[in-house]
Amino acid sequence: MDSRRWEAIQAAFDELVELNETERSRRLEALGAADPGLRDALDKLLHADADAAERLARIEGALLAPAAAAVADSVVHEHVRAALAGRYVILCQLGRGGMATVYLADDVKHHRRVAVKVLHGHLAAVAGPGRFLREIEIAGRLTHPHILPMHDSGEGGGLLYYVMPFVEGESLRARLARERQLPVQDVVHILHEVADALAYAHQHGVIHRDIKPDNVMLTGRHALVMDFGVAKAVSAGATGGGTVTTAAVSIGTPAYMAPEQATADP
């Protein structure tokens, strides 16, 4: 291709990229009618330009998404810190689950480390502060060696939260991910303690509704069941009812639901 031909193609391409899609199609038709070879060359250049722009957008998205997420998380964390100021000093985020984000914090009044769980905003809106705090209060009355107790709960800055002891250890989910298959004696031991905790709660009229490895904490050689009351509060809020046993809503983790729970059958 001689230089004059290339200059003609480049000039036509520079013109086309400045046009909107409709005007570009019309101009291409006109150029192609006079010079089919020019039309073919311009089509290839335009397709290559579009592909390059798409790749660049993907690269930019991959580079900017973590930064955007970090900024969003920082804003949320500052909101949580401000909402709990005076009662709890947020130290760091420990994790994030399907219903809440958990933070390590210092209890200002009692001078102790605690885990503060802040309900996700959309679930807080569904549950409502009155219902949520009532259900947490009921669950907080449970006293059992294999139930992680609740120290406190409340509302602040539009956030709903509850507070538990901070215990050293890991969730059953984390241990399963690390070891894949547990020794039989360990499985029996964990199941015995979890079943004992659930039986105690049932005797006191409290059903967990979201029992799964993520909600079983392993500390030392013992299992602690946590997050009683949370799924109940959201479930009641979703149905608009004042009690947990209401139909037409399914709250929990599908892989661990009983069939009647998955179908929202009270």
Side-chain angles (χ1 to χ4, degrees), residues 67-85 90 92-93 95-96 100-103 116-122 156-160:
V71 170
D73 284 346
S74 177
V75 171
V76 172
H77 296 171
E78 286 305 316
H79 180 49
V80 171
R81 286 190 178 94
L84 301 181
I90 300 298
C92 65
Q93 179 177 317
R96 181 181 175 89
T101 302
V102 57
Y103 298 91
V116 178
K117 285 203 169 185
V118 179
L119 207 64
H120 295 327
H122 64 289
L159 303 174
L160 298 178

Side-chain angles (χ1 to χ4, degrees), residues 119-235:
L119 207 64
H120 295 327
H122 64 289
L123 294 179
V126 168
R131 182 178 292 109
F132 173 79
L133 297 176
R134 183 169 64 250
E135 295 290 357
I136 293 298
E137 179 185 354
I138 293 171
R141 297 172 189 163
L142 298 176
T143 303
H144 187 275
H146 301 301
I147 293 177
L148 191 64
M150 293 191 185
H151 287 330
D152 189 17
S153 61
E155 176 189 13
L159 303 174
L160 298 178
Y161 66 91
Y162 55 105
V163 183
M164 304 175 296
F166 173 69
V167 295
E168 298 286 348
E170 63 181 345
S171 69
L172 177 56
R173 166 75 65 209
R175 184 175 174 190
L176 287 170
R178 189 180 73 254
E179 298 185 19
R180 307 298 298 173
Q181 185 172 350
L182 306 186
V184 173
Q185 63 269 27
D186 287 1
V187 173
V188 172
H189 180 71
I190 292 168
L191 284 175
H192 179 270
E193 294 188 339
V194 170
D196 194 40
L198 294 176
Y200 169 85
H202 292 177
Q203 290 169 5
H204 290 77
V206 177
I207 299 175
H208 193 289
R209 292 183 66 91
D210 195 24
I211 190 69
K212 57 185 177 182
D214 309 74
N215 286 334
V216 176
M217 190 74 180
L218 302 178
T219 177
R221 296 189 63 255
H222 297 290
L224 294 170
V225 181
M226 56 186 178
D227 285 1
F228 276 95
V230 181
K232 295 176 66 176
V234 175
S235 175

